[in-house]
PDB file of all heavy atoms in Angstrom:
ATOM      1  N   THR A 348     -69.224 -14.455 -95.316  1.00 91.00           N
ATOM      2  CA  THR A 348     -69.572 -15.877 -95.331  1.00 91.00           C
ATOM      3  C   THR A 348     -71.062 -16.129 -95.133  1.00 91.00           C
ATOM      4  O   THR A 348     -71.562 -17.186 -95.476  1.00 91.00           O
ATOM      5  CB  THR A 348     -68.802 -16.640 -94.242  1.00 91.00           C
ATOM      6  OG1 THR A 348     -69.147 -16.105 -92.965  1.00 91.00           O
ATOM      7  CG2 THR A 348     -67.309 -16.528 -94.438  1.00 91.00           C
ATOM      8  N   ALA A 349     -71.780 -15.172 -94.573  1.00 94.00           N
ATOM      9  CA  ALA A 349     -73.204 -15.379 -94.308  1.00 94.00           C
ATOM     10  C   ALA A 349     -73.936 -14.050 -94.434  1.00 94.00           C
ATOM     11  O   ALA A 349     -73.758 -13.156 -93.613  1.00 94.00           O
ATOM     12  CB  ALA A 349     -73.415 -15.973 -92.913  1.00 94.00           C
ATOM     13  N   ASN A 350     -74.762 -13.923 -95.435  1.00 95.00           N
ATOM     14  CA  ASN A 350     -75.528 -12.689 -95.618  1.00 95.00           C
ATOM     15  C   ASN A 350     -76.403 -12.372 -94.415  1.00 95.00           C
ATOM     16  O   ASN A 350     -76.633 -11.213 -94.085  1.00 95.00           O
ATOM     17  CB  ASN A 350     -76.407 -12.803 -96.860  1.00 95.00           C
ATOM     18  CG  ASN A 350     -75.617 -12.720 -98.150  1.00 95.00           C
ATOM     19  OD1 ASN A 350     -74.493 -12.236 -98.167  1.00 95.00           O
ATOM     20  ND2 ASN A 350     -76.204 -13.188 -99.228  1.00 95.00           N
ATOM     21  N   SER A 351     -76.919 -13.402 -93.767  1.00 95.00           N
ATOM     22  CA  SER A 351     -77.869 -13.196 -92.673  1.00 95.00           C
ATOM     23  C   SER A 351     -77.255 -12.517 -91.459  1.00 95.00           C
ATOM     24  O   SER A 351     -77.976 -12.078 -90.567  1.00 95.00           O
ATOM     25  CB  SER A 351     -78.481 -14.534 -92.256  1.00 95.00           C
ATOM     26  OG  SER A 351     -77.493 -15.536 -92.171  1.00 95.00           O
ATOM     27  N   ALA A 352     -75.915 -12.382 -91.412  1.00 96.00           N
ATOM     28  CA  ALA A 352     -75.282 -11.685 -90.285  1.00 96.00           C
ATOM     29  C   ALA A 352     -75.705 -10.229 -90.222  1.00 96.00           C
ATOM     30  O   ALA A 352     -75.609  -9.586 -89.165  1.00 96.00           O
ATOM     31  CB  ALA A 352     -73.761 -11.792 -90.397  1.00 96.00           C
ATOM     32  N   VAL A 353     -76.172  -9.674 -91.332  1.00 97.00           N
ATOM     33  CA  VAL A 353     -76.573  -8.265 -91.331  1.00 97.00           C
ATOM     34  C   VAL A 353     -77.927  -8.059 -90.645  1.00 97.00           C
ATOM     35  O   VAL A 353     -78.258  -6.944 -90.244  1.00 97.00           O
ATOM     36  CB  VAL A 353     -76.627  -7.707 -92.775  1.00 97.00           C
ATOM     37  CG1 VAL A 353     -77.852  -8.224 -93.526  1.00 97.00           C
ATOM     38  CG2 VAL A 353     -76.614  -6.183 -92.776  1.00 97.00           C
ATOM     39  N   ILE A 354     -78.718  -9.112 -90.467  1.00 98.00           N
ATOM     40  CA  ILE A 354     -80.071  -8.951 -89.934  1.00 98.00           C
ATOM     41  C   ILE A 354     -80.069  -8.461 -88.494  1.00 98.00           C
ATOM     42  O   ILE A 354     -80.741  -7.470 -88.169  1.00 98.00           O
ATOM     43  CB  ILE A 354     -80.884 -10.247 -90.098  1.00 98.00           C
ATOM     44  CG1 ILE A 354     -81.039 -10.582 -91.589  1.00 98.00           C
ATOM     45  CG2 ILE A 354     -82.258 -10.111 -89.440  1.00 98.00           C
ATOM     46  CD1 ILE A 354     -81.805 -11.864 -91.865  1.00 98.00           C
ATOM     47  N   PRO A 355     -79.335  -9.101 -87.564  1.00 98.00           N
ATOM     48  CA  PRO A 355     -79.315  -8.550 -86.204  1.00 98.00           C
ATOM     49  C   PRO A 355     -78.699  -7.160 -86.148  1.00 98.00           C
ATOM     50  O   PRO A 355     -79.095  -6.334 -85.315  1.00 98.00           O
ATOM     51  CB  PRO A 355     -78.489  -9.566 -85.406  1.00 98.00           C
ATOM     52  CG  PRO A 355     -77.802 -10.412 -86.409  1.00 98.00           C
ATOM     53  CD  PRO A 355     -78.630 -10.392 -87.636  1.00 98.00           C
ATOM     54  N   LEU A 356     -77.744  -6.883 -87.025  1.00 97.00           N
ATOM     55  CA  LEU A 356     -77.163  -5.544 -87.081  1.00 97.00           C
ATOM     56  C   LEU A 356     -78.224  -4.529 -87.494  1.00 97.00           C
ATOM     57  O   LEU A 356     -78.344  -3.451 -86.897  1.00 97.00           O
ATOM     58  CB  LEU A 356     -75.994  -5.544 -88.071  1.00 97.00           C
ATOM     59  CG  LEU A 356     -75.322  -4.201 -88.359  1.00 97.00           C
ATOM     60  CD1 LEU A 356     -74.846  -3.540 -87.078  1.00 97.00           C
ATOM     61  CD2 LEU A 356     -74.155  -4.397 -89.320  1.00 97.00           C
ATOM     62  N   ALA A 357     -79.007  -4.860 -88.517  1.00 98.00           N
ATOM     63  CA  ALA A 357     -80.087  -3.960 -88.950  1.00 98.00           C
ATOM     64  C   ALA A 357     -81.119  -3.769 -87.841  1.00 98.00           C
ATOM     65  O   ALA A 357     -81.638  -2.658 -87.639  1.00 98.00           O
ATOM     66  CB  ALA A 357     -80.754  -4.507 -90.213  1.00 98.00           C
ATOM     67  N   TYR A 358     -81.418  -4.838 -87.119  1.00 98.00           N
ATOM     68  CA  TYR A 358     -82.388  -4.714 -86.021  1.00 98.00           C
ATOM     69  C   TYR A 358     -81.857  -3.769 -84.950  1.00 98.00           C
ATOM     70  O   TYR A 358     -82.602  -2.924 -84.430  1.00 98.00           O
ATOM     71  CB  TYR A 358     -82.699  -6.076 -85.404  1.00 98.00           C
ATOM     72  CG  TYR A 358     -83.688  -5.963 -84.263  1.00 98.00           C
ATOM     73  CD1 TYR A 358     -85.054  -5.902 -84.531  1.00 98.00           C
ATOM     74  CD2 TYR A 358     -83.263  -5.864 -82.945  1.00 98.00           C
ATOM     75  CE1 TYR A 358     -85.979  -5.753 -83.502  1.00 98.00           C
ATOM     76  CE2 TYR A 358     -84.176  -5.714 -81.910  1.00 98.00           C
ATOM     77  CZ  TYR A 358     -85.526  -5.654 -82.195  1.00 98.00           C
ATOM     78  OH  TYR A 358     -86.433  -5.493 -81.182  1.00 98.00           O
ATOM     79  N   TYR A 359     -80.590  -3.906 -84.605  1.00 98.00           N
ATOM     80  CA  TYR A 359     -79.992  -3.038 -83.582  1.00 98.00           C
ATOM     81  C   TYR A 359     -80.042  -1.572 -84.018  1.00 98.00           C
ATOM     82  O   TYR A 359     -80.407  -0.692 -83.220  1.00 98.00           O
ATOM     83  CB  TYR A 359     -78.546  -3.472 -83.349  1.00 98.00           C
ATOM     84  CG  TYR A 359     -77.754  -2.539 -82.458  1.00 98.00           C
ATOM     85  CD1 TYR A 359     -78.008  -2.461 -81.096  1.00 98.00           C
ATOM     86  CD2 TYR A 359     -76.750  -1.737 -83.003  1.00 98.00           C
ATOM     87  CE1 TYR A 359     -77.276  -1.605 -80.285  1.00 98.00           C
ATOM     88  CE2 TYR A 359     -76.006  -0.887 -82.198  1.00 98.00           C
ATOM     89  CZ  TYR A 359     -76.274  -0.817 -80.847  1.00 98.00           C
ATOM     90  OH  TYR A 359     -75.546   0.038 -80.036  1.00 98.00           O
ATOM     91  N   LEU A 360     -79.685  -1.282 -85.261  1.00 97.00           N
ATOM     92  CA  LEU A 360     -79.712   0.092 -85.763  1.00 97.00           C
ATOM     93  C   LEU A 360     -81.141   0.637 -85.764  1.00 97.00           C
ATOM     94  O   LEU A 360     -81.382   1.796 -85.426  1.00 97.00           O
ATOM     95  CB  LEU A 360     -79.133   0.131 -87.176  1.00 97.00           C
ATOM     96  CG  LEU A 360     -77.669  -0.326 -87.305  1.00 97.00           C
ATOM     97  CD1 LEU A 360     -77.292  -0.486 -88.773  1.00 97.00           C
ATOM     98  CD2 LEU A 360     -76.729   0.655 -86.610  1.00 97.00           C
ATOM     99  N   HIS A 361     -82.097  -0.228 -86.141  1.00 97.00           N
ATOM    100  CA  HIS A 361     -83.508   0.145 -86.124  1.00 97.00           C
ATOM    101  C   HIS A 361     -83.983   0.379 -84.693  1.00 97.00           C
ATOM    102  O   HIS A 361     -84.691   1.358 -84.414  1.00 97.00           O
ATOM    103  CB  HIS A 361     -84.308  -0.975 -86.792  1.00 97.00           C
ATOM    104  CG  HIS A 361     -85.787  -0.862 -86.612  1.00 97.00           C
ATOM    105  ND1 HIS A 361     -86.552   0.070 -87.256  1.00 97.00           N
ATOM    106  CD2 HIS A 361     -86.646  -1.591 -85.836  1.00 97.00           C
ATOM    107  CE1 HIS A 361     -87.825  -0.078 -86.912  1.00 97.00           C
ATOM    108  NE2 HIS A 361     -87.903  -1.073 -86.052  1.00 97.00           N
ATOM    109  N   ARG A 362     -83.576  -0.499 -83.796  1.00 96.00           N
ATOM    110  CA  ARG A 362     -83.982  -0.405 -82.380  1.00 96.00           C
ATOM    111  C   ARG A 362     -83.555   0.920 -81.765  1.00 96.00           C
ATOM    112  O   ARG A 362     -84.301   1.541 -81.009  1.00 96.00           O
ATOM    113  CB  ARG A 362     -83.336  -1.580 -81.631  1.00 96.00           C
ATOM    114  CG  ARG A 362     -83.269  -1.458 -80.099  1.00 96.00           C
ATOM    115  CD  ARG A 362     -84.554  -1.896 -79.448  1.00 96.00           C
ATOM    116  NE  ARG A 362     -84.419  -1.978 -78.015  1.00 96.00           N
ATOM    117  CZ  ARG A 362     -84.487  -0.934 -77.181  1.00 96.00           C
ATOM    118  NH1 ARG A 362     -84.664   0.280 -77.658  1.00 96.00           N
ATOM    119  NH2 ARG A 362     -84.388  -1.118 -75.874  1.00 96.00           N
ATOM    120  N   ARG A 363     -82.374   1.404 -82.121  1.00 96.00           N
ATOM    121  CA  ARG A 363     -81.860   2.651 -81.548  1.00 96.00           C
ATOM    122  C   ARG A 363     -82.190   3.873 -82.394  1.00 96.00           C
ATOM    123  O   ARG A 363     -81.886   5.001 -81.991  1.00 96.00           O
ATOM    124  CB  ARG A 363     -80.347   2.552 -81.370  1.00 96.00           C
ATOM    125  CG  ARG A 363     -79.911   1.567 -80.296  1.00 96.00           C
ATOM    126  CD  ARG A 363     -78.440   1.708 -79.981  1.00 96.00           C
ATOM    127  NE  ARG A 363     -78.103   3.057 -79.516  1.00 96.00           N
ATOM    128  CZ  ARG A 363     -76.871   3.494 -79.288  1.00 96.00           C
ATOM    129  NH1 ARG A 363     -75.846   2.672 -79.469  1.00 96.00           N
ATOM    130  NH2 ARG A 363     -76.655   4.728 -78.880  1.00 96.00           N
ATOM    131  N   GLY A 364     -82.783   3.662 -83.555  1.00 96.00           N
ATOM    132  CA  GLY A 364     -83.126   4.789 -84.410  1.00 96.00           C
ATOM    133  C   GLY A 364     -81.914   5.537 -84.928  1.00 96.00           C
ATOM    134  O   GLY A 364     -81.927   6.765 -85.076  1.00 96.00           O
ATOM    135  N   LEU A 365     -80.847   4.804 -85.244  1.00 96.00           N
ATOM    136  CA  LEU A 365     -79.588   5.424 -85.663  1.00 96.00           C
ATOM    137  C   LEU A 365     -79.620   5.786 -87.141  1.00 96.00           C
ATOM    138  O   LEU A 365     -80.268   5.112 -87.946  1.00 96.00           O
ATOM    139  CB  LEU A 365     -78.426   4.469 -85.379  1.00 96.00           C
ATOM    140  CG  LEU A 365     -78.203   4.162 -83.891  1.00 96.00           C
ATOM    141  CD1 LEU A 365     -77.268   2.978 -83.716  1.00 96.00           C
ATOM    142  CD2 LEU A 365     -77.659   5.392 -83.168  1.00 96.00           C
TER     143      LEU A 365
END
Side-chain angles (χ1 to χ4, degrees):
T348 61
N350 287 341
S351 44
V353 74
I354 298 179
L356 175 55
Y358 180 83
Y359 172 71
L360 299 170
H361 169 73
R362 162 84 171 81
R363 291 191 59 186
L365 296 167

